[in-house]
Amino acid sequence: MQALFDAADTLISEDIIYAWGNLLDEFFKVFFPTPTRSQMLSAYPDSVIRKFGKANIFMLMDATEITAEVASMKLMNSALYSAYKHNSTVKWLTGTDAIGTSWYDAIPPGRPGGAGDGVMTVVIEILDQIPPGMAVEVDKGFLIDNLYALAGVQQAAHSTALTQKIGNTRIPIEQSNGQMKQSTRFFDSPIAILQLGLADLLFRIGHVMQNFKLGFIQKRFPKEGEDGKNG
């Protein structure tokens, strides 16, 4: 593009990419709303029901970080520093359903890498999307006993025995995070400080785009003869 139109790098990254990014962002906001309980249950995987004995997990949630440039301002550098990654990062909370598909509000804006997972959960209010009686599945990195209690979320007494089950059922969201990073070349290099807003936009778009990958269908093919019945 740069060679064909004799355009500067800044024009391509800041004007063209940002404009198309905002267009896609508005499109996904309309066409990927938060699913209803009935919509969620209509595509609920049998494997999760067999693991837990019921279909009440509305969201798989995870925190993921992407490396950012080291800021020259000490205050910003301190906020971006991740003790987990030992580097400057931007952190996002991401959510998917039990088969790994996401929706617009399940990918809220990112925060500096120094923010704790539990604190982000409360501040962003991502749990407000969960219908009464449904659950959100997280890993042990989230401080359920502390900050999650403020949102009315309780950890079951038998949670230790379910550790292995939870690990297996969290594969879809881990795949979603990994594939988003691999398929979005913008994140191949550290995020520039002046492009944090653009990174937030592309992160959400990249995540929702994973819905179009056949890997998340999880072998939900129609049985022989069903195509004719359904037209």
Side-chain angles (χ1 to χ4, degrees):
M1 244 174 144
Q2 181 182 7
L4 185 61
F5 297 103
D6 193 25
D9 288 338
T10 54
L11 173 64
I12 294 175
S13 63
E14 296 180 10
D15 290 352
I16 298 177
I17 296 178
Y18 195 78
W20 278 103
N22 276 284
L23 182 63
L24 281 173
D25 192 65
E26 290 298 319
F27 173 83
F28 289 149
K29 183 187 299 184
V30 174
F31 286 93
F32 288 91
T34 303
T36 64
R37 183 199 301 264
S38 59
Q39 289 172 332
M40 185 72 70
L41 294 177
S42 68
Y44 208 86
D46 296 336
S47 59
V48 178
I49 298 177
R50 289 194 298 269
K51 291 277 187 184
F52 295 101
K54 52 187 174 180
N56 71 329
I57 296 176
F58 190 85
M59 177 189 290
L60 307 178
M61 188 168 67
D62 196 15
T64 186
E65 301 181 56
I66 297 180
T67 303
E69 289 183 347
V70 177
S72 57
M73 297 178 60
K74 290 184 178 180
L75 185 61
M76 180 177 288
N77 185 42
S78 176
L80 289 171
Y81 183 78
S82 168
Y84 177 69
K85 294 289 187 179
H86 303 289
N87 208 336
S88 293
T89 68
V90 179
K91 179 186 289 187
W92 284 270
L93 292 183
T94 61
T96 70
D97 61 17
I99 64 173
T101 56
S102 189
W103 57 95
Y104 186 86
D105 288 334
I107 314 296
R111 293 292 189 272
D117 298 351
V119 173
M120 286 182 64
T121 305
V122 174
V123 171
I124 294 174
E125 299 180 341
I126 191 172
L127 296 182
D128 290 351
Q129 303 175 43
I130 312 301
M134 301 294 281
V136 56
E137 184 179 307
V138 297
D139 62 22
K140 61 183 181 180
F142 290 84
L143 303 178
I144 296 177
D145 290 334
N146 298 328
L147 291 171
Y148 272 32
L150 298 177
V153 178
Q154 296 181 345
Q155 187 175 24
H158 60 289
S159 59
T160 302
L162 293 176
T163 299
Q164 185 62 44
K165 293 182 179 180
I166 290 176
N168 292 337
T169 54
R170 285 181 52 78
I171 291 176
I173 190 169
E174 293 170 356
Q175 287 180 332
S176 180
N177 285 333
Q179 291 184 17
M180 187 286 300
K181 293 176 184 178
Q182 292 176 3
S183 60
T184 309
R185 295 183 60 187
F186 178 84
F187 298 116
D188 288 349
S189 56
I191 301 170
I193 299 299
L194 295 178
Q195 292 184 328
L196 292 178
L198 179 59
D200 212 25
L201 187 67
L202 296 180
F203 184 91
R204 181 166 51 247
I205 291 171
H207 238 290
V208 179
M209 287 288 287
Q210 303 309 307
N211 293 340
F212 298 98
K213 292 189 175 181
L214 291 177
F216 290 131
I217 302 299
Q218 293 198 349
K219 298 182 179 180
R220 289 182 172 273
F221 304 111
K223 296 180 181 179
E224 187 176 355
E226 285 188 358
D227 286 338
K229 296 179 182 179
N230 298 330

